[in-house]
mmCIF file of all heavy atoms in Angstrom:
data_model
loop_
_atom_site.group_PDB
_atom_site.id
_atom_site.type_symbol
_atom_site.label_atom_id
_atom_site.label_comp_id
_atom_site.label_asym_id
_atom_site.label_seq_id
_atom_site.Cartn_x
_atom_site.Cartn_y
_atom_site.Cartn_z
ATOM 1 N N GLN A 1245 -6.856 9.403 3.343
ATOM 2 C CA GLN A 1245 -6.720 10.305 4.492
ATOM 3 C C GLN A 1245 -8.077 10.537 5.148
ATOM 4 O O GLN A 1245 -8.180 10.566 6.370
ATOM 5 C CB GLN A 1245 -6.092 11.618 4.048
ATOM 6 C CG GLN A 1245 -4.574 11.486 3.971
ATOM 7 C CD GLN A 1245 -3.916 12.607 3.219
ATOM 8 O OE1 GLN A 1245 -4.572 13.343 2.484
ATOM 9 N NE2 GLN A 1245 -2.612 12.744 3.359
ATOM 10 N N ALA A 1246 -9.130 10.647 4.299
ATOM 11 C CA ALA A 1246 -10.470 10.845 4.848
ATOM 12 C C ALA A 1246 -10.898 9.613 5.649
ATOM 13 O O ALA A 1246 -11.483 9.735 6.728
ATOM 14 C CB ALA A 1246 -11.461 11.109 3.720
ATOM 15 N N ARG A 1247 -10.567 8.424 5.108
ATOM 16 C CA ARG A 1247 -10.927 7.187 5.807
ATOM 17 C C ARG A 1247 -10.225 7.110 7.161
ATOM 18 O O ARG A 1247 -10.823 6.750 8.163
ATOM 19 C CB ARG A 1247 -10.528 5.992 4.941
ATOM 20 C CG ARG A 1247 -11.642 4.995 4.836
ATOM 21 C CD ARG A 1247 -11.428 3.824 3.964
ATOM 22 N NE ARG A 1247 -10.136 3.557 3.421
ATOM 23 C CZ ARG A 1247 -9.864 3.529 2.141
ATOM 24 N NH1 ARG A 1247 -10.801 3.816 1.265
ATOM 25 N NH2 ARG A 1247 -8.665 3.230 1.698
ATOM 26 N N ARG A 1248 -8.927 7.492 7.149
ATOM 27 C CA ARG A 1248 -8.146 7.454 8.386
ATOM 28 C C ARG A 1248 -8.736 8.426 9.417
ATOM 29 O O ARG A 1248 -8.872 8.115 10.574
ATOM 30 C CB ARG A 1248 -6.699 7.845 8.064
ATOM 31 C CG ARG A 1248 -5.703 7.281 9.037
ATOM 32 C CD ARG A 1248 -4.304 7.584 8.586
ATOM 33 N NE ARG A 1248 -3.919 6.881 7.372
ATOM 34 C CZ ARG A 1248 -2.830 7.154 6.677
ATOM 35 N NH1 ARG A 1248 -2.039 8.114 7.040
ATOM 36 N NH2 ARG A 1248 -2.530 6.460 5.608
ATOM 37 N N PHE A 1249 -9.139 9.620 8.923
ATOM 38 C CA PHE A 1249 -9.709 10.622 9.816
ATOM 39 C C PHE A 1249 -11.006 10.107 10.428
ATOM 40 O O PHE A 1249 -11.245 10.236 11.628
ATOM 41 C CB PHE A 1249 -9.962 11.918 9.037
ATOM 42 C CG PHE A 1249 -10.706 12.953 9.821
ATOM 43 C CD1 PHE A 1249 -10.088 13.624 10.862
ATOM 44 C CD2 PHE A 1249 -12.037 13.232 9.553
ATOM 45 C CE1 PHE A 1249 -10.772 14.568 11.594
ATOM 46 C CE2 PHE A 1249 -12.728 14.169 10.283
ATOM 47 C CZ PHE A 1249 -12.095 14.843 11.312
ATOM 48 N N ARG A 1250 -11.860 9.474 9.563
ATOM 49 C CA ARG A 1250 -13.142 8.954 10.071
ATOM 50 C C ARG A 1250 -12.909 7.892 11.139
ATOM 51 O O ARG A 1250 -13.595 7.841 12.145
ATOM 52 C CB ARG A 1250 -13.954 8.369 8.915
ATOM 53 C CG ARG A 1250 -14.711 9.429 8.125
ATOM 54 C CD ARG A 1250 -15.839 8.805 7.337
ATOM 55 N NE ARG A 1250 -15.353 7.856 6.366
ATOM 56 C CZ ARG A 1250 -14.982 8.152 5.135
ATOM 57 N NH1 ARG A 1250 -15.039 9.393 4.724
ATOM 58 N NH2 ARG A 1250 -14.552 7.224 4.301
ATOM 59 N N ARG A 1251 -11.880 7.022 10.888
ATOM 60 C CA ARG A 1251 -11.589 5.952 11.851
ATOM 61 C C ARG A 1251 -11.165 6.551 13.200
ATOM 62 O O ARG A 1251 -11.641 6.157 14.247
ATOM 63 C CB ARG A 1251 -10.484 5.049 11.291
ATOM 64 C CG ARG A 1251 -10.451 3.681 11.947
ATOM 65 C CD ARG A 1251 -9.405 2.800 11.328
ATOM 66 N NE ARG A 1251 -9.540 2.693 9.889
ATOM 67 C CZ ARG A 1251 -8.534 2.740 9.027
ATOM 68 N NH1 ARG A 1251 -7.306 2.903 9.445
ATOM 69 N NH2 ARG A 1251 -8.736 2.614 7.731
ATOM 70 N N TRP A 1252 -10.292 7.577 13.126
ATOM 71 C CA TRP A 1252 -9.831 8.211 14.362
ATOM 72 C C TRP A 1252 -10.988 8.899 15.086
ATOM 73 O O TRP A 1252 -11.091 8.862 16.300
ATOM 74 C CB TRP A 1252 -8.726 9.224 14.057
ATOM 75 C CG TRP A 1252 -7.397 8.562 13.982
ATOM 76 C CD1 TRP A 1252 -6.657 8.340 12.867
ATOM 77 C CD2 TRP A 1252 -6.649 8.005 15.074
ATOM 78 N NE1 TRP A 1252 -5.504 7.676 13.180
ATOM 79 C CE2 TRP A 1252 -5.471 7.463 14.537
ATOM 80 C CE3 TRP A 1252 -6.868 7.914 16.440
ATOM 81 C CZ2 TRP A 1252 -4.512 6.840 15.303
ATOM 82 C CZ3 TRP A 1252 -5.915 7.291 17.220
ATOM 83 C CH2 TRP A 1252 -4.756 6.764 16.649
ATOM 84 N N ARG A 1253 -11.874 9.518 14.298
ATOM 85 C CA ARG A 1253 -12.992 10.217 14.917
ATOM 86 C C ARG A 1253 -13.898 9.213 15.638
ATOM 87 O O ARG A 1253 -14.336 9.445 16.758
ATOM 88 C CB ARG A 1253 -13.779 10.976 13.844
ATOM 89 C CG ARG A 1253 -14.707 12.015 14.428
ATOM 90 C CD ARG A 1253 -15.453 12.745 13.365
ATOM 91 N NE ARG A 1253 -16.150 11.802 12.488
ATOM 92 C CZ ARG A 1253 -16.773 12.150 11.378
ATOM 93 N NH1 ARG A 1253 -16.771 13.396 10.993
ATOM 94 N NH2 ARG A 1253 -17.376 11.241 10.625
ATOM 95 N N SER A 1254 -14.170 8.064 14.977
ATOM 96 C CA SER A 1254 -15.025 7.040 15.611
ATOM 97 C C SER A 1254 -14.389 6.556 16.901
ATOM 98 O O SER A 1254 -15.073 6.392 17.920
ATOM 99 C CB SER A 1254 -15.214 5.847 14.679
ATOM 100 O OG SER A 1254 -15.621 6.280 13.441
ATOM 101 N N LEU A 1255 -13.066 6.345 16.847
ATOM 102 C CA LEU A 1255 -12.367 5.873 18.050
ATOM 103 C C LEU A 1255 -12.466 6.906 19.174
ATOM 104 O O LEU A 1255 -12.702 6.557 20.330
ATOM 105 C CB LEU A 1255 -10.899 5.604 17.730
ATOM 106 C CG LEU A 1255 -10.599 4.254 17.084
ATOM 107 C CD1 LEU A 1255 -9.137 4.196 16.678
ATOM 108 C CD2 LEU A 1255 -10.914 3.116 18.052
ATOM 109 N N ALA A 1256 -12.297 8.181 18.786
ATOM 110 C CA ALA A 1256 -12.346 9.242 19.793
ATOM 111 C C ALA A 1256 -13.736 9.315 20.408
ATOM 112 O O ALA A 1256 -13.886 9.448 21.632
ATOM 113 C CB ALA A 1256 -11.978 10.576 19.149
ATOM 114 N N VAL A 1257 -14.794 9.201 19.559
ATOM 115 C CA VAL A 1257 -16.167 9.259 20.078
ATOM 116 C C VAL A 1257 -16.407 8.077 21.017
ATOM 117 O O VAL A 1257 -16.974 8.242 22.107
ATOM 118 C CB VAL A 1257 -17.169 9.247 18.896
ATOM 119 C CG1 VAL A 1257 -18.576 8.978 19.393
ATOM 120 C CG2 VAL A 1257 -17.119 10.583 18.178
ATOM 121 N N ALA A 1258 -15.931 6.878 20.611
ATOM 122 C CA ALA A 1258 -16.128 5.689 21.445
ATOM 123 C C ALA A 1258 -15.403 5.856 22.780
ATOM 124 O O ALA A 1258 -15.947 5.521 23.840
ATOM 125 C CB ALA A 1258 -15.621 4.458 20.716
ATOM 126 N N ALA A 1259 -14.183 6.425 22.734
ATOM 127 C CA ALA A 1259 -13.407 6.615 23.963
ATOM 128 C C ALA A 1259 -14.118 7.602 24.880
ATOM 129 O O ALA A 1259 -14.211 7.388 26.091
ATOM 130 C CB ALA A 1259 -12.009 7.111 23.620
ATOM 131 N N CYS A 1260 -14.662 8.687 24.285
ATOM 132 C CA CYS A 1260 -15.379 9.683 25.097
ATOM 133 C C CYS A 1260 -16.607 9.049 25.726
ATOM 134 O O CYS A 1260 -16.891 9.271 26.914
ATOM 135 C CB CYS A 1260 -15.803 10.865 24.223
ATOM 136 S SG CYS A 1260 -14.435 11.922 23.824
ATOM 137 N N ALA A 1261 -17.349 8.266 24.931
ATOM 138 C CA ALA A 1261 -18.563 7.627 25.447
ATOM 139 C C ALA A 1261 -18.207 6.700 26.606
ATOM 140 O O ALA A 1261 -18.886 6.694 27.643
ATOM 141 C CB ALA A 1261 -19.264 6.861 24.336
#
Side-chain angles (χ1 to χ4, degrees):
Chain A
Q1245 278 165 343
R1247 228 176 10 241
R1248 206 174 292 169
F1249 173 72
R1250 278 200 298 272
R1251 200 177 306 137
W1252 275 108
R1253 196 180 54 187
S1254 309
L1255 278 173
V1257 167
C1260 285

